[in-house]
Amino acid sequence: MYNLADIKTVKSILSRYGFNFSKSLGQNFLINPSVCPRMAEECGCNMEVGVIEIGPGIGVLTCELAKRTNKVVAIELDKKLLPILSETLSDFDNIKIINDDIMKMNLEGLIASEFDGKDVVVCANLPYYITSPIIMKLLETRLNVKSITVMVQKEVALRLCTDLGTRDSSSIGVAINYYAEPELLFEVSRGNFVPMPKVDSAVIKLNIRKEPQFKVQDEKLFFKVVNAAFSQRRKTLHNSLSNGLNLQKSIVQDILNGLSIPLTIRAENLNIEQFVKISNYIYDRKIKL
Ligand code: SAM
């Protein structure tokens, strides 16, 4: 079995295959021996729970996952990594590599066909150029997974895991909290990757909620309100909702007054329940947007 977290091993395998890292595919491979075992331990997989991995690279995390579960399905976009993965993961018979773009895949279909009704978790060191779109795809399609454990850029991790109602609140933070309970697991500095990225990383775990915390009448409208509120985050909610939803200021004033939300408040000061109340208020009173 290869030591895929050893830089000399990684470099020698890659040079044998004439592999060059692709910056545009976010290829920074982990070379720290304890990070992948820790991710695999904390992602919640076991012999009864299958795993989807996104972007296996040369398989450093994949093999740690495969030691702890019956089945890993790993989706890798870069064709050039396929022969390498066949070699590095040849000791395992419980790994399926799929050569595809995670953003274009039908993941519900994949879960139905590959995991036979079993619980599934996602575990991955994500390519940074599409971190948020990948996470939002997994959440918005309400993929039937128990949790999503991913390594992302540290600043993104902090933003996704921050408490709502604080300065670092964001529209994606609201969306994350709507679908899941986020948890910051641990940080990984840039020196643990080859090639070394310009930023540090952190591993987060999104524990998917079985039911949303609050009853939202119209989800599309809810996210429209959230996005409008944060689209001009330095402005008051009164202004940002009026501009973002194209509503007269007097109507927004009535909505906020009706919900006893101060006109001077900013989006970053709102909790998720207040966003829900605003969108339900608009929905219930059939206010035209
Ligand atoms: N898991 C490996 C590790 O931890 O060392 C590699 C992680 S590297 C940060 C991201 C991986 O995602 C690369 O292997 C890259 O080729 C792959 N990737 C990039 N875009 C992808 C996409 N749209 N779909 C699937 N894989 C992708």
Side-chain angles (χ1 to χ4, degrees):
M1 201 173 292
Y2 293 94
N3 179 359
L4 297 173
D6 172 58
I7 182 145
K8 279 197 193 126
T9 312
V10 175
K11 284 192 169 164
S12 109
I13 296 173
L14 294 181
S15 85
R16 242 187 321 112
Y17 282 88
F19 178 85
N20 293 312
F21 292 100
S22 158
K23 211 173 171 184
S24 64
L25 287 181
Q27 290 176 341
N28 302 97
F29 294 170
L30 263 163
I31 45 160
N32 175 308
S34 57
V35 171
C36 292
R38 189 164 171 196
M39 282 181 78
E41 282 296 323
E42 299 202 26
C43 76
C45 72
N46 58 49
M47 288 302 162
E48 268 68 59
V49 176
V51 187
I52 296 177
E53 186 191 359
I54 300 154
I58 62 165
V60 63
L61 174 60
T62 324
C63 61
E64 294 302 331
L65 295 167
K67 288 178 199 166
R68 293 166 173 83
T69 179
N70 271 328
K71 184 159 187 183
V72 181
V73 175
I75 298 143
E76 174 56 61
L77 177 59
D78 190 349
K79 257 196 184 71
K80 296 196 293 314
L81 287 166
L82 302 188
I84 303 181
L85 284 164
S86 299
E87 178 181 330
T88 56
L89 301 177
S90 59
D91 287 338
F92 297 91
D93 59 6
N94 58 344
I95 299 172
K96 178 166 183 178
I97 305 288
I98 298 179
N99 179 215
D100 210 333
D101 181 341
I102 184 72
M103 295 307 294
K104 297 190 179 147
M105 287 185 73
N106 168 2
L107 294 170
E108 290 99 327
L110 176 100
I111 289 182
S113 63
E114 297 292 342
F115 291 102
D116 206 18
K118 271 196 178 148
D119 282 342
V120 177
V121 297
V122 173
C123 186
N125 173 11
L126 290 181
Y128 292 167
Y129 74 105
I130 42 167
T131 301
S132 300
I134 292 177
I135 293 177
M136 287 318 295
K137 171 173 173 153
L138 301 177
L139 293 175
E140 280 170 354
T141 50
R142 290 196 190 281
L143 202 60
N144 190 14
V145 295
K146 285 181 82 77
S147 63
I148 300 170
T149 302
V150 282
M151 185 176 312
V152 298
Q153 195 178 321
K154 184 176 155 189
E155 284 67 29
V156 175
L158 297 177
R159 187 147 30 94
L160 298 185
C161 294
T162 195
D163 287 337
L164 298 181
T166 63
R167 235 178 57 128
D168 291 331
S169 270
S170 59
S171 51
I172 190 165
V174 174
I176 296 279
N177 276 274
Y178 178 69
Y179 293 113
E181 282 180 88
E183 215 185 318
L184 185 63
L185 294 185
F186 58 95
E187 295 180 11
V188 183
S189 62
R190 63 193 78 181
N192 292 294
F193 299 85
V194 61
M196 186 166 80
K198 288 199 179 76
V199 292
D200 295 322
S201 298
V203 179
I204 61 171
K205 184 171 183 184
L206 307 177
N207 301 293
I208 307 299
R209 296 182 195 279
K210 282 203 186 86
E211 297 289 334
Q213 266 176 304
F214 304 101
K215 174 136 184 53
V216 170
Q217 303 285 13
D218 178 340
E219 265 184 14
K220 221 170 141 193
L221 173 63
F222 170 69
F223 286 112
K224 207 169 171 180
V225 167
V226 172
N227 289 331
F230 281 102
S231 64
Q232 294 174 302
R233 53 179 304 136
R234 304 261 53 96
K235 295 204 167 170
T236 62
L237 191 65
H238 187 197
N239 280 322
S240 60
L241 285 184
S242 166
N243 294 337
L245 297 177
N246 213 5
L247 276 180
Q248 280 175 18
K249 282 183 102 175
S250 57
I251 297 178
V252 178
Q253 185 169 342
D254 287 346
I255 297 170
L256 297 180
N257 285 342
L259 294 167
S260 304
I261 296 174
L263 296 179
T264 51
I265 208 167
R266 292 194 177 123
E268 65 194 31
N269 302 119
L270 251 60
N271 61 35
I272 198 161
E273 188 178 10
Q274 289 170 305
F275 281 114
V276 172
K277 281 186 174 164
I278 295 172
S279 75
N280 284 352
Y281 192 99
I282 294 172
Y283 179 89
D284 290 340
R285 284 162 185 74
K286 300 186 175 55
I287 296 171
K288 279 236 166 355
L289 298 185

